[in-house]
Amino acid sequence: MQTEAIAHIRGPALLIAGPGSGKTFVIIQRILSLVSKEHVRPDRIMVLTFSKAAANEMKTRYENSNGTPGVYFGTFHAASYGILRKYMGYTNAKIITFEQKKKALKMITGNHAVEDEPDQDLINDILGLITRIKCSDKDVPYRIDHRNINEDTLKQIISEYNSFLRDERLIAFDDMITDCVNSLKEDDKIRAMIKAEFDHIIIDEFQDINEYQYRFISLIENIDMNIMAVGDDDQAIYAFRGSDPGFMKRFIEDHINTKIFYLSENHRSRERIVKASSTIIQQNHDRLNKSFKAVRSDGTVRLIRTQTRMEEEDAIVDILKKSGCSGVENEDTAIILRTNAEVLIYDSMLRKRGIETRNKSPKGPSIDGSFIYDDLRAFLNFVKNGHRRSDFIRFMNKPLRYIHRDCLLEETVSIDMMMKYYSNNREMQKTVEELWKWIELSKKIDVRGAIGIFRKSMKYDEYIHFMSKTAKEYEKNLIMADRITERLCDQSRIKDDFVITDGFSESDAAYENGEDTAPQKESHGIYIMTMHMAKGLEFDNVIIPDLNEGIMPKKNLSEKAMEEERRLLYVAMTRAKESLYLLCTEERNRGISSFLKCLKADQIISSNSHSSRNS
């Protein structure tokens, strides 16, 4: 089938390419064939993808194959911006930086008193909502899960943010494509010139396309429709950016006589891995009908169920050490997790156990998704580093104590200041005295003891319970709190004292400056990354922990969202070439992920209550 796809010349084509099926090879060979055999000018071929790294990789592979220079390899954003700059007078100075976005939204959100101090998680949530709104032609609800912000307030915040962009004449990445699409729709002359520039268009990772990217393609493809879409709907995992596997079906509907090619051989993963991952993804209903087979036989798929979270961690260390994956002997091993917060927790755990790591976390805030980390950090900063007002505001009413911000008249908080404010309110004075008693005690003991006081004596765990919408979410948040406690204790041991003076780590600062934060300084070690970050990569050995209901999949999901979670797991599983380890824990009566219940006995090696502590 690869040969047929490479030889396809005219008309629309859809290349359905599963994991490890050689799609990049087909793309490069097809371009070479178009140039050398069909005598298509290289500068009349456009290849689009979704990341600069992917575009550069394809360009390099093409040039290393003695390809004639001139083919356009680029991202949707780069192509859109190129049109805007060439025909609409846009300049680089108009592109808004992440730092500018963050500052603008933090100021706007703060003005609306949404939270005492808007954290980076909230800013990310709002930016994600803005992206979904801009990249969809449907009515996107103005709602952020787990945030108590009403629709009218969110509408006002986003309206003010868009006004800021207009007033400052700035353009965001999402605006590049929407502005380009709108301009092409309105200007027939420019649209005709763009259509005439390219004879062939190839789109890689087509399953990741969103509404406006799809419209962009429709506006620039010429009447011959010499366009090939390459992708796998089973690997569509970017719904938060507006992507949808349904666009692959839509491509077939919109392009008459589409030729469909299936790359069904997996050259990456061994047979047991292919069978197990295929069994799971076949539970999805919204997918093109297809199947894949492994070129290589055998392989290992092991399901490990432990009684406690600590036993699960021990099991991971045991796997790494027994398989020789803990050092430079075998670096082709990855631990793949659902969230970036978990990446940092496992990174800390392995380093503590003497196992070197390469933390390949996504660009962005290092504590994404964890309000608990921010709260614990604020408390520790307050008791260890000078009683800052901003830190106190973060935790003073968690749980609710009815302490008013007006009692904090100075940047440094003192009990005398608060007692004076509540001089006519004996009940509030008692509340302040009780709170301050624990603060004073926390100052005299180590970080672990201080966190224990905060969570138990000051009843922060009760606040976690209040913030959790279901029992399962509460269990998950308690586990997260335990792991964050370990990480903060590790930090205190690494440094002479506990000092984190602002809301961002060094890796965050690198992100703000547009630097690549992964991998870290180490040149060897175990990779640790999120499922989203793992897409497109491959490893000899893959370990996927925390495969429990409520974590993977998340709780209370719609059927559509549930299928995306299943695709995420499928992507993670199919990164493995030789061995795949699936782990879950029964701690706090947590159940095994429903995704794993379809696996057959002949597809996995099952191990119950594994504990390297007891072995």
Side-chain angles (χ1 to χ4, degrees):
M1 190 59 75
Q2 284 187 344
T3 303
E4 295 177 28
I6 291 169
H8 177 79
I9 304 301
R10 291 176 177 80
L14 178 63
L15 179 62
I16 300 174
S21 59
K23 68 178 179 65
T24 304
F25 171 81
V26 172
I27 291 172
I28 299 304
Q29 292 301 313
R30 181 165 185 265
I31 298 169
L32 292 169
S33 177
L34 287 173
V35 174
S36 63
K37 296 181 179 179
E38 302 300 321
H39 307 294
V40 177
R41 280 172 42 187
D43 62 352
R44 297 189 66 80
I45 300 173
M46 170 185 274
V47 183
L48 291 176
T49 188
F50 291 83
S51 73
K52 186 176 180 180
N56 288 339
E57 180 187 356
M58 283 194 290
K59 181 179 181 181
T60 299
R61 289 182 62 170
Y62 172 71
E63 291 173 348
N64 289 343
S65 301
N66 297 318
T68 306
V71 176
Y72 179 88
F73 294 92
T75 65
F76 278 89
H77 289 101
S80 298
Y81 188 61
I83 293 171
L84 291 172
R85 190 168 60 178
K86 183 175 181 179
Y87 296 103
M88 288 86 177
Y90 280 58
T91 63
N92 289 341
K94 294 187 68 175
I95 302 175
I96 187 172
T97 65
F98 182 81
E99 180 70 23
Q100 289 171 314
K101 284 184 181 182
K102 181 186 69 178
K103 287 182 177 179
L105 272 175
K106 197 165 188 178
M107 177 189 67
I108 293 167
T109 305
N111 289 342
H112 285 273
V114 170
E115 292 187 356
D116 289 333
E117 185 180 1
D119 58 23
Q120 190 57 43
D121 297 336
L122 176 59
I123 301 305
N124 282 345
D125 288 340
I126 296 174
L127 284 172
L129 176 59
I130 291 171
T131 295
R132 292 194 297 276
I133 292 169
K134 288 185 175 181
C135 295
S136 176
D137 64 338
K138 301 175 182 177
D139 291 332
V140 176
Y142 282 74
R143 183 182 67 250
I144 298 176
D145 292 340
H146 313 302
R147 295 284 184 177
N148 187 26
I149 309 175
N150 64 50
E151 180 178 330
D152 290 340
T153 301
L154 279 172
K155 284 183 177 179
Q156 186 63 31
I157 289 171
I158 293 173
S159 175
E160 291 179 20
Y161 172 73
N162 289 330
S163 295
F164 163 77
L165 294 179
R166 288 193 299 270
D167 294 343
E168 299 298 323
R169 297 183 179 180
L170 293 169
I171 180 173
F173 276 119
D174 297 328
D175 296 327
M176 290 181 185
I177 295 178
T178 55
D179 284 6
C180 186
V181 166
N182 293 334
S183 297
L184 290 173
K185 283 174 62 178
E186 295 169 2
D187 197 317
D188 295 342
K189 185 177 179 181
I190 293 176
R191 187 168 69 252
M193 286 190 289
I194 300 299
K195 284 177 176 288
E197 283 192 28
F198 297 99
D199 294 326
H200 291 268
I201 299 174
I202 302 172
I203 306 152
D204 189 26
E205 303 288 1
F206 191 78
Q207 74 279 347
D208 295 337
I209 205 165
N210 64 36
E211 177 64 36
Y212 272 86
Q213 290 162 343
Y214 190 91
R215 291 186 189 182
F216 175 75
I217 293 298
S218 300
L219 288 166
I220 68 171
E221 65 176 329
N222 60 34
I223 194 171
D224 295 327
M225 291 189 174
N226 295 329
I227 180 169
M228 174 176 277
V230 182
D232 177 14
D233 57 321
D234 288 334
Q235 298 185 68
I237 58 173
Y238 294 111
F240 63 89
R241 297 178 187 169
S243 67
D244 191 308
F247 282 111
M248 297 190 76
K249 295 178 182 177
R250 183 168 160 184
F251 180 89
I252 298 172
E253 295 168 358
D254 291 347
H255 295 80
I256 301 173
N257 299 323
T258 297
K259 180 68 175 177
I260 302 177
F261 302 96
Y262 291 90
L263 299 186
S264 58
E265 292 186 341
N266 188 320
H267 296 263
R268 174 194 299 155
S269 304
R270 289 197 177 272
E271 185 176 17
R272 286 194 179 92
I273 297 169
V274 172
K275 285 185 176 180
S277 57
S278 295
T279 298
I280 286 176
I281 198 60
Q282 285 168 7
Q283 306 306 305
N284 274 4
H285 300 293
D286 185 17
R287 65 189 294 266
L288 297 170
N289 186 26
K290 57 188 176 297
S291 61
F292 299 101
K293 62 181 179 180
V295 172
R296 302 190 302 149
S297 61
D298 300 326
T300 299
V301 178
R302 186 174 182 187
L303 174 62
I304 301 173
R305 304 176 69 169
T306 65
Q307 293 294 322
T308 68
R309 178 181 58 81
M310 289 303 299
E311 288 179 0
E312 183 182 56
E313 293 177 358
D314 288 342
I316 292 172
V317 174
D318 195 40
I319 292 167
L320 295 175
K321 289 183 176 179
K322 283 186 177 179
S323 58
C325 305
S326 59
V328 297
E329 300 91 349
N330 184 350
E331 299 167 11
D332 203 4
T333 297
I335 298 176
I336 303 178
L337 301 145
R338 180 63 184 85
T339 67
N340 194 31
E342 291 175 295
V343 168
L344 293 166
I345 291 165
Y346 275 88
D347 181 74
S348 175
M349 181 271 291
L350 289 180
R351 287 174 182 270
K352 184 172 65 175
R353 304 282 191 106
I355 297 175
E356 294 185 0
T357 65
R358 282 185 283 189
N359 182 338
K360 198 171 179 61
S361 58
K363 289 182 177 181
S366 63
I367 55 173
D368 188 23
S370 175
F371 69 91
I372 299 170
Y373 187 98
D374 282 340
D375 292 343
L376 294 184
R377 183 180 57 192
F379 173 73
L380 291 174
N381 273 330
F382 184 80
V383 299
K384 302 293 186 183
N385 299 321
H387 293 188
R388 287 198 315 170
R389 180 178 184 270
S390 58
D391 289 327
F392 188 72
I393 288 172
R394 176 91 200 176
F395 69 83
M396 66 183 185
N397 284 315
K398 298 178 178 180
L400 186 61
R401 298 182 178 92
Y402 299 98
I403 298 174
H404 200 281
R405 294 177 68 166
D406 289 349
C407 76
L408 309 176
L409 303 177
E410 299 175 4
E411 285 303 310
T412 300
V413 179
S414 69
I415 187 173
D416 292 339
M417 175 200 311
M418 298 174 70
M419 293 294 283
K420 183 177 180 181
Y421 180 85
Y422 289 115
S423 59
N424 297 322
N425 188 335
R426 184 53 191 155
E427 286 303 313
M428 281 304 301
Q429 283 190 333
K430 289 180 180 178
T431 298
V432 171
E433 288 172 343
E434 176 73 9
L435 177 64
W436 211 262
K437 175 186 72 175
W438 297 121
I439 288 173
E440 286 297 315
L441 180 57
S442 299
K443 290 165 63 176
K444 300 173 183 178
I445 59 180
D446 62 13
V447 167
R448 185 179 296 279
I451 293 176
I453 286 175
F454 183 63
R455 292 183 57 187
K456 303 303 181 184
S457 303
M458 294 171 64
K459 301 181 178 180
Y460 181 74
D461 279 6
E462 291 185 11
Y463 171 75
I464 293 177
H465 187 268
F466 171 77
M467 290 293 290
S468 305
K469 294 186 177 181
T470 66
K472 288 183 178 180
E473 182 178 354
Y474 178 47
E475 293 168 4
K476 176 183 175 183
N477 283 335
L478 284 179
I479 292 167
M480 183 64 70
D482 291 343
R483 290 177 172 174
I484 290 171
T485 296
E486 293 301 320
R487 182 178 177 219
L488 291 171
C489 290
D490 288 343
Q491 281 186 328
S492 70
R493 283 193 290 269
I494 293 170
K495 301 180 180 181
D496 293 333
D497 54 3
F498 188 89
V499 180
I500 302 180
T501 57
D502 56 34
F504 300 96
S505 67
E506 292 178 5
S507 61
D508 298 324
Y511 172 60
E512 300 297 335
N513 294 321
E515 300 170 9
D516 190 358
T517 62
Q520 302 294 328
K521 292 180 181 179
E522 289 82 2
S523 60
H524 49 77
I526 307 303
Y527 279 104
I528 309 178
M529 65 189 70
T530 65
M531 293 178 177
H532 283 103
M533 192 67 177
K535 189 168 178 291
L537 303 177
E538 59 182 38
F539 306 92
D540 282 346
N541 315 292
V542 167
I543 302 169
I544 310 176
D546 296 335
L547 290 176
N548 287 92
E549 201 72 8
I551 298 177
M552 171 53 68
K554 294 181 178 179
K555 62 205 172 306
N556 301 326
L557 296 178
S558 65
E559 183 177 350
K560 185 173 184 178
M562 184 71 77
E563 294 209 347
E564 170 126 344
E565 288 283 292
R566 193 178 279 111
R567 290 194 294 269
L568 263 174
L569 178 58
Y570 176 71
V571 166
M573 293 175 69
T574 54
R575 302 309 95 195
K577 295 192 289 185
E578 305 291 336
S579 301
L580 174 65
Y581 300 89
L582 311 171
L583 292 92
C584 62
T585 175
E586 298 172 3
E587 190 172 72
R588 297 191 179 102
N589 296 317
R590 300 163 72 209
I592 186 174
S593 169
S594 56
F595 291 163
L596 302 181
K597 293 180 179 179
C598 63
L599 293 178
K600 302 182 178 79
D602 63 341
Q603 294 174 333
I604 58 174
I605 302 171
S606 183
S607 175
N608 290 325
S609 301
H610 175 98
S611 175
S612 60
R613 288 181 185 272
N614 301 323
S615 60

